[in-house]
Structure formats: structure tokens, C-alpha cells
Amino acid sequence: MKIFGKHYQTIWETDESISSVSIIDQRLLPFEFKIVQLSKLEDFLFAIKEMQVRGAPLIGVTTAYALYFAVRDIPPSKFDNALYNAIDKLLSTRPTAVNLRNAIQGCLSEISKEADNDAKVSAILNYARHLWNSDIEVCKKIGSFGMELLKEIYNLKRDTVNLLTHCNAGWLATIDYGTALSPVYFARDAGIPLHIWVDETRPLNQGARLTAFELLHEGIPHTIIADNTGGYLMQKGMVDIVIVGTDRTTRSGDVANKIGTYLKALAAKDNGIPFYVALPSSSIDWNISDGVREIPIEERDPSEVKYVLGKVNESIANVLICPEESPAKNYAFDITPARLVSGLITERGICPASEEGLLSLFPEMKGG
Ligand code: MRU
């Protein structure tokens, strides 16, 4: 999608010899647009942990490239050591997004088909490229299925469709298009009038900083709201549909997403407003069923709650917003139980948030 009228994606190979991969440093948006190069495992660990890149699908693709750079110049005698050391470190960066683990498993499965090290390194690179390409295709499909929901609302209402979203599950969280926001871009292209309510999404304000930034650059009408505003808007009939993304969805349809998502789902249920979750199948954890009990919830540094990043005059600054001595807690995600989810928008279509629903679209996962 576009920034300043130019098409960008969130990660790309810098040159033909792949001296590095380039990313947009999302920590600095919307205040500064900076492209950063990653070429060492440490660069990738920092980028994922400190959220230069973030969003489950983008974390997955970045992880595959991290493994490639971790092993590509390693002599055969040290190959396995370097690979498993990188895997351990990557797994500890961001525990909730299952795309990270799925990307590692995908790389390992490709490596297992090869005998010599050069072929293993190529297999990882090919897998990273495959994930990159398939993420774009998957997000487009999510967009075209999700657009039908927006079209239905428009056909009934014949007026602007008001969609509320939480965090950033737009193109900045994927390679291009996004998950929750892909239907918005497809609907815009189909001529459906839209307005997006953007939850600010404390503590890191991915809504106010990133979702607003990408909607602004795509010319989509939107309004930033404080996180606690959604319930009021729903009571007043000012929200037609909620669409969010997910970092991990269980086989029974429980959804982990940015902290605060659960409260929006409760408010939507109470007000009879459809609450949809858009996801690539790479965000499904087929091994677990009980989201509240089984999904690991990332706890981040409390300083992210106590300080807010902003722009003061021409400088970017972190401002303390509470007594410095007060303790804070920073749970990054919460779980929305399947019973509160109206449906899951996937690359294979829309299904109920249940095991039966998911298996109707992904029958190959039966019994697995
Ligand atoms: O902590 P973040 O910014 O990585 O959290 C991102 C989200 O919660 C997104 O909604 C989720 O990863 C889905 S992205 C398509």
C-alpha cells in the first residue's frame, strides 16, 4: 500500500545479492519514516523484540529471514549450533504470535528435505520468499471475502459503513493489504463509502500511530478514539461492524489479540454488533483449544505503560505520564472467547468461530 503516494511493503530484500533485508522502522511512525537494514541475527532479534516490525504475519516472515541470515555464512561444522541457537533466541522474542513458531517449523521442515548445508540455506531463503508471497495472496483473499460483509451492510443501510478496529492489523502488520483492514481497502476500491473508528490502543498506540497513518496515506476517512470510547459509540448506533486481527487463534476459535480486544467484543455482543476476526491460517494454533488457559500472553516492559511516545516541537520524545515510583503491568494481549466472535474471515472464506467452522474450511486439519 502507499506512503506519500509510493507503493511500499513492510519488508524486502535490499539488493540482488541479499546483503540485507530492509524494513520500515515502525517504532518511529508516524513521526519519522525511516528504512532500516537487517543483516545479522542480532538485528532481527532487536527488530522483532523492540517492534521495529510487529503484527503476527510480519513477525512470521521476518523470523524466516532471520534464520536465513543466522546460518548463511556459517561453516558446516557449526551449522546446527547456529541454527538452534537462533531458534531459541527467536522463540523468546514475542511469545504470543504463533506465526513466529509456525515460520520456524516451516523452515525446519524444508531443511529436513536437504542433505548439504548450501541446499539447507537455500531452502530457508526459498521458504522466507514463499511466506512473503503467500502472505500477500492470503491477505488479498481475506480482503475480498471480508468486503462482502461490508457490502451487505451498505446494501441495507445505503449510507457510510462505520467500522471499528483495534490495534493495527493493516498492511503494516503484514507484507501488504493487512488482515482486518484488507476488507476496507477492497471495499474502498468497490466504491463502498466507509468510515473507520480507530482505537488508539494503549500502551503503544498502534491504532493512533500506525492504523491512522496507513489510513491517512490511503485516503480512507477515519477518526481516532480513546480506547474506552467504543462501547459508547456502539450504544449510540455509530458502529456497524468491528473487525480485528489476531496473533493466535485456537482450533476452537478463541482469539488472542492486542490487549483490550476482549472488552470491545463484550460491548459488541451487548449491542448486537457483528464482531469479526480476520486471519491468515498461519495464525491458527491447531494444537490448542482453550485460549484463556493455553495461549501464552506476552508481558512487556512496564515502562511502555508509564511513558508515551510523541512529538514535541520537532523532536520525538518519551513522556512520563504517571508517578515515576508507581508500579505498572503491561500485558500485551488478551483472549476473546469464540462465543463472542461472529465469524472468522480467512483466506478460504468466512466461518463460525468454532472447531466445526474452522474444519469446514481446513478439512485437512481434522484429527490433527
Ligand atoms: O504487539 P503488536 O503490535 O505486534 O500486535 C499486533 C496485533 O495485535 C495485531 O492485531 C495482530 O498481530 C494481527 S496483525 C494482522
Side-chain angles (χ1 to χ4, degrees), residues 64 102-103 105-107 110 122-132:
N102 286 345
Q105 278 171 352
C107 288
E110 293 305 307
S122 299
I124 298 177
L125 177 60
N126 289 338
Y127 188 70
R129 288 173 168 171
H130 156 77
L131 275 188
W132 190 95

Side-chain angles (χ1 to χ4, degrees), residues 51 54-57 59 94 166-170 173-174 179 206 245-247 257-258 333:
M51 298 173 65
R54 28 67 53 202
I59 290 171
R94 301 219 53 202
H166 192 68
C167 194
N168 172 261
T174 63
T179 58
Q206 286 94 330
T246 175
D247 287 78
N257 193 47
K258 182 54 56 195
F333 299 95

Side-chain angles (χ1 to χ4, degrees), residues 26 51 53-59 94 97 99 139 166-170 172-174 178-180 201 204 206 210 244-248 256-259 261 278-280 283 298 300 332-333:
Q26 298 195 22
M51 298 173 65
V53 290
R54 28 67 53 202
L58 176 55
I59 290 171
R94 301 219 53 202
N99 303 59
C139 285
H166 192 68
C167 194
N168 172 261
L172 288 167
T174 63
T179 58
T201 318
L204 288 180
Q206 286 94 330
L210 304 176
V244 298
T246 175
D247 287 78
R248 189 185 297 229
N257 193 47
K258 182 54 56 195
I259 194 82
T261 301
L279 66 149
S283 295
E298 176 181 2
R300 296 185 60 83
F333 299 95

Side-chain angles (χ1 to χ4, degrees), residues 253-255 265 269 274-277 336-344 351-353:
D254 290 347
V255 168
K269 185 79 167 180
F275 180 97
Y276 281 86
V277 179
T336 300
R339 65 175 183 279
L340 300 178
V341 178
S342 311
L344 302 173
C351 69

